[in-house]
Amino acid sequence: MGCCQSTTTAAGSEGARSDLTPQREAENYEPLPVCTIDFGHTTRWASEEAMTQTQLERKREEFWDTAPAFEGRLEVWQALRLACDSDDRQLAHAILASAGATVPSLRIVDGVYDDHGACYTIPQYCLSEPTNLISDRAVEAAKTVDAQASMDSGLRTAVVGSPSVAALSSPIPIYRYDSDSTSIMSASPLYPQGSSDMVHKPIKVRLSSGADVSARLTPDMTVAQLEQQLRDAGHLPAGRARFFFLGRLLSPELIPARDLHLTKHVILQVLMCS
């Protein structure tokens, strides 16, 4: 009796397994959702001014480091960066889903929204390289040629005649990165070396709100004094202000005109902290 019961059970199990044929299993299989989001990795675009790979990476780092301070949640920004940097679209889609982020237009550059309705906007330069990207070697070569030409000019002046002090002390052009126009430029500093000019000169400061304001700078003014000037003008709200230049945190006692070789084209950034 027990043997018959055992045989029946085994037959029933085999019959149940026989119903799950490969064809039936294929019909019941639910594939993973296909990622239809365009992450902009193949979008072709050109920056207003040619930039190097180093400048592009610096600009991306500046955006990802400062964006969470202005709007949105830090964990969503972190998920967005992982998703945008990933070459696996299916993985990128899963990262966005786990963070509760949605892309209504299916184009990442049009905006991403979290489950609280906050919008996250990612610039194209964080997604793909511009078509007018230039090599760092080409820039270094150009700087070397300009420096050599300046030295040769000074030597020729010394040999030909009696040079003026200005001719021998004129500064070699200093290349600086402009975070506003993402360009490489050759410009003399606001206060050339050895200058006794104490006139206040304007410099642009970008606030946490995104607004640009103008400040007045002297050769011996510190970052702390610049902060006080902005507070007196009513540009800074209550709280601790942190000044950045090209992603570098500036100490309160630093003297921008002397230590940073600022030009009229550069921008100082201010981040307000509670």
Side-chain angles (χ1 to χ4, degrees):
M1 184 72 175
C3 181
C4 293
Q5 185 176 1
S6 174
T7 303
T8 303
T9 303
S13 299
E14 291 178 0
R17 286 196 298 270
S18 65
D19 291 339
L20 298 178
T21 61
Q23 181 178 358
R24 182 69 57 83
E25 290 181 355
E27 292 175 353
N28 295 334
Y29 174 73
E30 295 182 2
L32 293 173
V34 178
C35 177
T36 56
I37 298 176
D38 179 9
F39 284 89
H41 293 163
T42 59
T43 301
R44 294 177 59 84
W45 64 283
S47 60
E48 294 182 0
E49 298 290 341
M51 70 172 73
T52 65
Q53 185 68 45
T54 299
Q55 288 180 325
L56 177 61
E57 293 300 329
R58 183 188 298 131
K59 191 171 179 65
R60 288 176 175 177
E61 287 294 332
E62 288 177 355
F63 172 78
W64 291 119
D65 289 345
T66 58
F70 295 99
E71 59 182 346
R73 307 203 311 269
L74 177 60
E75 61 271 21
V76 177
W77 280 115
Q78 292 173 337
L80 286 173
R81 182 172 188 177
L82 289 174
C84 292
D85 290 344
S86 176
D87 294 328
D88 187 334
R89 295 185 62 191
Q90 200 68 37
L91 175 61
H93 185 274
I95 293 174
L96 293 183
S98 65
T102 58
V103 187
S105 69
L106 298 181
R107 296 179 70 249
I108 205 82
V109 294
D110 291 339
V112 182
Y113 295 83
D114 63 17
D115 49 10
H116 294 286
C119 181
Y120 301 76
T121 304
I122 304 172
Q124 184 61 54
Y125 61 76
C126 286
L127 306 174
S128 64
E129 297 179 350
T131 55
N132 55 344
L133 192 71
I134 57 179
S135 68
D136 291 280
R137 289 184 178 181
V139 176
E140 290 299 325
K143 291 166 64 175
T144 301
V145 170
D146 286 346
Q148 186 62 47
S150 179
M151 292 176 62
D152 292 344
S153 176
L155 289 175
R156 283 195 299 270
T157 303
V159 172
V160 171
S162 176
S164 64
V165 175
L168 291 178
S169 61
S170 58
I172 294 173
I174 299 175
Y175 287 83
R176 287 291 176 262
Y177 169 69
D178 183 351
S179 60
D180 189 35
S181 61
T182 64
S183 63
I184 299 173
M185 61 190 67
S186 173
S188 297
L190 289 175
Y191 298 95
Q193 187 175 3
S195 172
S196 59
D197 185 3
M198 297 298 291
V199 176
H200 287 70
K201 294 191 177 181
I203 186 172
K204 186 181 293 185
V205 179
R206 179 159 297 165
L207 308 179
S208 299
S209 62
D212 290 344
V213 298
S214 180
R216 311 294 294 183
L217 195 68
T218 60
D220 58 351
M221 180 179 291
T222 64
V223 171
Q225 292 171 329
L226 177 60
E227 177 183 349
Q228 188 59 49
Q229 179 189 140
L230 293 174
R231 290 192 185 279
D232 293 342
H235 294 312
L236 295 183
R240 179 187 175 192
R242 303 174 67 189
F243 284 74
F244 291 84
F245 177 62
L246 298 182
R248 169 189 171 189
L249 177 62
L250 306 182
S251 61
E253 63 274 8
L254 182 139
I255 301 177
R258 181 196 66 189
D259 300 331
L260 301 180
H261 300 287
L262 297 179
T263 73
K264 64 180 180 179
H265 301 286
V266 300
I267 297 177
L268 292 182
Q269 292 180 305
V270 181
L271 181 64
M272 298 304 301
C273 305
S274 57

